[in-house]
Amino acid sequence: MRVWIDLTNSPHVLVMRPVIDALREDGHEVAVTARDFAQTLGLLDRFEIPHTAIGRHRGERLPAKAAGLASRSAALVRWARRPAGRFDIALGHGSNDVSVAARLLGIPCSTTFDYEWAAVQHHVNCRLAQAVVVPAAIPVECLERYGAKGKVHPYEGLKEEYYLADFEPDPAALAGLRIDRDRPLVVVRTPPEVSLYHRFENDLFATVLARLRAAAQSDGVQSVVLPRTDAQRAQLRGVSGFTLPDRAIDAQSLIALADLVISAGGTMNREAVALGTPVYTTFEGRLGAVDERLIAEGRLRKLADADQLELSKRRDPSSVQARTRRDPRKLVELLLSPLRP
């Protein structure tokens, strides 16, 4: 069987890595396409996953997104029509591009995601895909408005518990960043917005950065900041008190060995939960069902004020409850469901 996987953002590489491995172990041929955005290509290189880079991010405004969807989907169709032959199924983690391309090519398609309120995205991929693979925490009826009725295939737990199932942290990740393990370590993920510095005193995330800068000077707190874009990196590079990696790194080891994680996004928050690291979310949009459940269970904390932050060493990281490790072959099974009779 020939399987096509399209990756459009950094977290998608992490989710699909064990899926790719399992498919290849079972003797299937897997071809990977990827969009040049954030650290997507860098992570593919780090995991040594062969891929073809096609297209780039076109901006956050709706007209730019529409133009990007049209142009990249067309480019994917041209790529898939190469003499190499027809694919049996196409898979994506919320990739509208591959859903559109697969429909134009007449290829069955599965999509997966774990945040239900990206309405524009889901109106496309849920309608065009034959299978919609999501966490069981997301109510099925919530997805029916997007055209997913009869297509939803739920899985238990977090997607991070599947792709981190075989993961063990590597202390070398700290050495490479010159982190002193005797001092508190905080890992920070920026919000999606490109501009940070000019709002440095005006929003929650900006006050978090200010608090961390002060803690670096007064208490030796080490903050590794992981920007989403080159623009964010450029703005933060001149700000004292932060470590900014200049390439794709082993972020999962960094998270597992950190004393605290603060993230405006979803994936890094849930990685921290899966790895047992205390974590605050600064996400200011509408919370998804997965994060709402984690907050209700006390596994994820919503940050309301930077003064809430406890910037100290974890007393006993080894006392964290045993990790939940789930078999990624369950995801493979669900993603390949359109090929079952």
Side-chain angles (χ1 to χ4, degrees):
M1 181 170 64
R2 302 191 71 239
V3 182
W4 172 16
I5 296 178
D6 185 53
L7 307 170
T8 57
N9 202 352
S10 309
H12 308 170
V13 180
L14 306 173
V15 178
M16 289 300 187
R17 177 195 58 79
V19 171
I20 293 168
D21 289 345
L23 287 167
R24 287 178 172 158
E25 287 171 6
D26 291 343
H28 302 302
E29 181 182 344
V30 181
V32 177
T33 51
R35 183 177 64 169
D36 185 1
F37 177 64
Q39 290 81 44
T40 305
L41 302 184
L43 284 171
L44 284 166
D45 290 337
R46 188 166 75 80
F47 288 119
E48 299 182 342
I49 299 174
H51 59 279
T52 301
I54 298 177
R56 58 180 176 82
H57 194 270
R58 298 289 292 269
E60 294 298 330
R61 294 185 180 277
L62 191 57
K65 284 182 176 290
L69 174 61
S71 64
R72 188 166 185 272
S73 298
L76 291 177
V77 168
R78 292 192 295 271
W79 174 85
R81 282 177 172 162
R82 299 167 305 152
R86 178 183 172 88
F87 290 100
D88 296 289
I89 192 168
L91 311 178
H93 190 290
S95 168
N96 286 348
D97 306 339
V98 79
S99 298
V100 171
R103 174 60 65 91
L104 293 173
L105 292 163
I107 301 171
C109 179
S110 294
T111 189
T112 180
F113 54 85
D114 59 358
Y115 179 68
E116 66 271 30
W117 302 121
V120 174
Q121 180 188 63
H122 298 332
H123 273 298
V124 176
N125 57 32
C126 288
R127 294 181 191 283
L128 296 181
Q130 283 68 55
V132 178
V133 178
V134 296
I138 299 178
V140 173
E141 57 272 18
C142 175
L143 303 178
E144 291 180 354
R145 73 189 76 182
Y146 302 132
K149 188 173 183 178
K151 303 178 182 180
V152 178
H153 298 265
Y155 60 85
E156 293 301 320
L158 309 174
K159 72 179 190 297
E160 292 77 10
E161 293 169 339
Y162 292 85
Y163 72 74
L164 292 171
D166 61 351
F167 172 80
E168 295 298 337
D170 181 3
L174 300 187
L177 295 172
R178 299 181 181 178
I179 298 298
D180 182 349
R181 299 195 67 173
D182 293 328
R183 292 158 51 201
L185 170 61
V186 181
V187 177
V188 184
R189 179 65 161 166
T190 59
E193 293 82 359
V194 170
S195 185
L196 291 173
Y197 189 73
H198 77 282
R199 296 182 294 110
F200 199 77
E201 301 297 336
N202 298 330
D203 64 6
L204 177 60
F205 196 82
T207 61
V208 168
L209 294 180
R211 172 81 192 280
L212 293 175
R213 286 182 67 195
Q217 295 175 349
S218 61
D219 303 313
V221 172
Q222 304 162 105
S223 296
V224 177
V225 182
L226 304 177
R228 292 174 183 267
T229 66
D230 290 339
Q232 290 179 345
R233 185 181 306 281
Q235 290 172 339
L236 289 169
R237 194 177 295 282
V239 182
S240 63
F242 302 139
T243 297
L244 275 71
D246 56 7
R247 54 184 172 76
I249 63 168
D250 182 359
Q252 290 70 48
S253 288
L254 193 63
I255 290 167
L257 298 169
D259 299 292
L260 181 67
V261 170
I262 308 166
S263 174
T267 296
M268 187 165 288
N269 288 337
R270 291 187 288 274
E271 286 180 339
V273 169
L275 294 170
T277 302
V279 53
Y280 282 101
T281 178
T282 62
F283 183 64
E284 295 181 345
R286 185 173 183 178
L287 285 174
V290 173
D291 285 349
E292 285 184 338
R293 177 176 290 185
L294 292 175
I295 289 172
E297 294 171 348
R299 301 169 70 193
L300 174 67
R301 290 176 285 181
K302 178 75 173 170
L303 188 67
D305 190 304
D307 289 336
Q308 289 177 249
L309 297 175
E310 300 171 9
L311 304 176
S312 58
K313 292 291 294 181
R314 279 195 273 172
R315 289 186 178 85
D316 184 10
S318 63
S319 67
V320 176
Q321 63 182 14
R323 285 169 51 190
T324 300
R325 302 174 190 254
R326 301 182 188 271
D327 187 352
R329 285 185 176 275
K330 177 62 177 178
L331 298 184
V332 175
E333 175 188 338
L334 297 177
L335 289 167
L336 295 184
S337 58
L339 300 180
R340 293 199 298 268

